[in-house]
Amino acid sequence: MAKIRLFIDHPLAQGQGIALSSDQAHYLSSVMRQEAGDEILLFNGRDGEWLARIARLAKRNGDVVPERQTAPQMDPPDLWLLFAPIKKARTDFIVEKAAEMGAARIVPVQTDFTNSERIRQDRLQAHAVEAAEQCGGTYVPEVTDLNPLSRLLDGWDGTRRILWADEAMVGPAETLAGLTKGPWAILIGPEGGFSESERARLSAMDCVTRISLGPRILRADTAAVAALALWQAELGDWRRD
Amino acid sequence: MAKIRLFIDHPLAQGQGIALSSDQAHYLSSVMRQEAGDEILLFNGRDGEWLARIARLAKRNGDVVPERQTAPQMDPPDLWLLFAPIKKARTDFIVEKAAEMGAARIVPVQTDFTNSERIRQDRLQAHAVEAAEQCGGTYVPEVTDLNPLSRLLDGWDGTRRILWADEAMVGPAETLAGLTKGPWAILIGPEGGFSESERARLSAMDCVTRISLGPRILRADTAAVAALALWQAELGDWRRD
């Protein structure tokens, strides 16, 4: 039985007890049926993964004590995912998948054809936390607030290259072999694609590389996972160097 | 506005009228608000994509007439996806994603650690049809009934190689470069992985290649999309030859 993993926003050090939040105590006691003396795993995004023991547990409070580090801190490569929010369930899904696939930062963007005007950033961030707990990572990607794409591109630092999965390029995929290492952002469009002016602007940017994701039109959530997989295998931490 | 695409299990030929099923007529009239004279796209998995005109449409019946072929038949590469069904929503999702990603056949397998004893094959097949309609494909992958993995491997034809995404191999991914072209099946395990005896058996098969999908543990649905993307880019119809 795999141990419970909890993200906890607190420094982790041997023997230094940590008070659980009300939600964490509830989750451990009532949902997962843990009790004092049980072992869990903790990570905070900075100090790696720690084996910890539950010192005290009530319904809405408790303490855990880190005993020893079980994995070093592993940060993902410097890869952002930019995507246009779609229907709620699929937006949740994209955030979950991006965390599992090792995106360092998740940036919802508002494009000319994006339907949603706002997102629940706190809810999406909670999905990223849950995905990190589940996938064994020691890092939780930040989910930013919704950014208008035009404003984001106005201030874009061209040293971060953009891999634009252009749904209008249906056909054989470009290979990612030969792309420069370094900071990247993957950009996935909304259903309905980008507007003509967005397309013109992206095409004119030196730091943008357009790719196709094959001969079928992928939904945005599928395209996000597929593009992250190709990037990770070629340039990221799936690569065996 | 993209045209409505319908899969229709009937030969498609110019001027040869086709009676709509009750569900199709309902979908076109009541859901999509179409009427006689409107154009839709049809495919049947054999004759490519056709532009057709609605000749007559009532609430529960109607006729469409193919006018001209708009795309040739495009079959996906000879790639199967074998996966252990998980929770309902995620199983639906895997089928949808496999169809979009261009699997030719989708095979739910019952492993030692699979929770579900049965699947609704008809419902999963309907998801594959809907995904094919959505993604612009002209092919609908067959979703088979649930197969015990052991029986499937008993009768396995070794000329179809198996790409085993082994969740126990957490670490840098193998590159798929250099793998033999030809018929393949991707095998994704259940949450909880494969049993010791399943692992021993797979490891002993000459036609099996194990790969890792990076340093995080992916959910089965994420792993399916990621493995399909890597395969398609290296050996399948995403490749630009």
Side-chain angles (χ1 to χ4, degrees), chain A residues 30-170:
Chain A
S30 304
V31 181
M32 301 306 288
R33 304 285 168 193
Q34 299 293 294
E35 46 193 51
D38 287 345
E39 291 177 341
I40 62 172
L41 296 169
L42 301 178
F43 65 104
N44 62 2
R46 303 181 297 275
D47 299 323
E49 181 191 78
W50 286 72
L51 182 77
R53 198 169 298 275
I54 299 174
R56 186 180 62 80
L57 187 62
K59 281 205 172 161
R60 285 293 178 179
N61 57 71
D63 302 291
V64 290
V65 181
E67 295 192 341
R68 60 185 169 84
Q69 198 186 41
T70 45
Q73 179 60 29
M74 289 258 294
D75 291 335
D78 190 358
L79 175 65
W80 297 359
L81 177 69
L82 278 52
F83 77 100
I86 39 180
K87 286 178 205 148
K88 182 176 157 301
R90 289 188 191 266
T91 298
D92 292 352
F93 190 88
I94 289 183
V95 169
E96 174 189 298
K97 285 349 189 186
E100 284 179 53
M101 295 293 297
R105 192 176 210 206
I106 300 170
V107 184
V109 293
Q110 185 164 13
T111 68
D112 292 344
F113 297 159
T114 303
N115 287 322
S116 75
E117 308 254 310
R118 52 187 295 278
I119 54 161
R120 283 282 307 275
Q121 188 277 337
D122 56 336
R123 237 174 42 85
L124 295 181
Q125 186 66 63
H127 277 291
V129 167
E130 202 181 312
E133 289 172 346
Q134 160 95 18
C135 75
T138 51
Y139 179 90
V140 177
E142 179 200 4
V143 183
T144 71
D145 236 320
L146 190 62
N147 285 268
L149 179 63
S150 57
R151 201 180 310 157
L152 201 65
L153 296 182
D154 284 345
W156 195 261
D157 171 2
T159 60
R160 179 176 301 277
R161 297 195 57 85
I162 295 176
L163 192 66
W164 171 23
D166 181 359
E167 87 297 332
M169 274 177 69
V170 173

Side-chain angles (χ1 to χ4, degrees), chain A residues 74-77 90 93 96-97 99-103 130-131 134-137 169 171-175 191 212-223 225-227 229-230 232-233 237-241, chain B residues 74-77 90 93 96-97 99-103 130-131 134-137 169 171-175 191 212-223 225-227 229-230 232-233 237-241:
Chain A
M74 289 258 294
D75 291 335
R90 289 188 191 266
F93 190 88
E96 174 189 298
K97 285 349 189 186
E100 284 179 53
M101 295 293 297
E130 202 181 312
Q134 160 95 18
C135 75
M169 274 177 69
E174 301 295 338
T175 172
E191 324 228 326
S212 148
L213 294 173
R216 287 160 296 273
I217 301 161
L218 304 184
R219 286 182 192 267
D221 49 354
T222 319
V225 178
L230 298 184
Q232 284 287 20
D237 66 9
W238 291 20
R239 195 186 163 90
R240 188 184 296 273
D241 291 301
Chain B
M74 290 258 295
D75 292 335
R90 288 188 191 266
F93 190 88
E96 173 188 298
K97 286 346 189 187
E100 284 180 53
M101 296 293 297
E130 202 181 312
Q134 160 95 19
C135 75
M169 273 178 68
E174 301 294 339
T175 173
E191 323 229 325
S212 149
L213 294 173
R216 288 160 296 273
I217 301 161
L218 304 184
R219 285 182 193 267
D221 49 356
T222 319
V225 178
L230 298 185
Q232 284 288 20
D237 65 9
W238 292 20
R239 197 187 161 89
R240 189 185 295 273
D241 292 303

Side-chain angles (χ1 to χ4, degrees), chain B residues 113-223:
Chain B
F113 297 159
T114 303
N115 288 321
S116 76
E117 309 254 311
R118 53 186 296 279
I119 55 160
R120 283 282 306 275
Q121 188 277 336
D122 57 337
R123 237 173 43 84
L124 295 181
Q125 186 66 64
H127 277 292
V129 167
E130 202 181 312
E133 289 172 345
Q134 160 95 19
C135 75
T138 51
Y139 178 91
V140 178
E142 179 199 4
V143 182
T144 71
D145 236 320
L146 190 62
N147 284 269
L149 178 63
S150 57
R151 200 180 311 155
L152 201 65
L153 295 182
D154 285 344
W156 195 260
D157 171 2
T159 59
R160 179 177 301 276
R161 298 195 55 86
I162 295 176
L163 192 66
W164 171 24
D166 181 358
E167 87 296 332
M169 273 178 68
V170 173
E174 301 294 339
T175 173
L176 271 55
L179 291 187
T180 322
K181 290 208 158 204
W184 277 88
I186 289 171
L187 172 63
I188 303 290
E191 323 229 325
F194 291 97
S195 69
E196 273 313 306
S197 65
E198 286 169 337
R199 300 182 60 77
R201 178 158 188 195
L202 286 165
S203 301
M205 288 173 74
D206 279 342
C207 63
V208 170
T209 302
R210 286 206 304 171
I211 57 160
S212 149
L213 294 173
R216 288 160 296 273
I217 301 161
L218 304 184
R219 285 182 193 267
D221 49 356
T222 319

